[in-house]
Amino acid sequence: FLAHITPPLKEFAIMPASVRLSPEQILVTVRRRQEEKRWIDAYLSEDNGLSWAFLNTPVKSTGEGNPPAMIRLSDGRICLTYGYRAEPFGIRAVLSNDKGRTWSEPVILRDDGASKDLGYTRTVQRPDGKLVTVYYYNDTQAPERYIAATIWHPGEKIP
């Protein structure tokens, strides 16, 4: 049996994360790659997913690439988390208080990763407003990757 092996793609848009903004609006972020560049783009549907338009680029670089995860916070803001696969390796977040039209500077949740082998975040909000971001990670404290979490507060609304 011979398997057909294809070379790695030099360009892709994969691994979406979505949040519903209203009964008609859906915001989606997507892991992107073009040649050596890797980033996260946002798209908006205003007709419940029938059509989509490019909105912006919430994360201009993810290092060597990592998919987004998004949630809508209790105050209406959007939180997007991702693994950052360039030095300093770690976990980051960006926030939007205008339904994804603009985004904060990255919030560094961790920057002590031993290599790019980390990420795939998921985030939930606790009743006290703090966020729990879970991901797989590796650092100099453990010889293998492990599941870790950061509990953090998203702060006040972004001006």
Side-chain angles (χ1 to χ4, degrees), residues 15 32 42 46 48-49 69-70 76 89 95 101 119 144 150:
M15 300 177 171
R32 295 294 316 274
E46 297 191 275
N48 207 25
M70 280 194 309
F89 305 109
L95 297 154
R101 284 167 175 69
E144 295 292 330
T150 299

Side-chain angles (χ1 to χ4, degrees), residues 25-36:
Q25 293 181 317
I26 304 168
L27 174 67
V28 170
T29 54
V30 182
R31 178 182 184 178
R32 295 294 316 274
R33 175 182 178 172
Q34 188 172 52
E35 298 293 332
E36 298 306 313

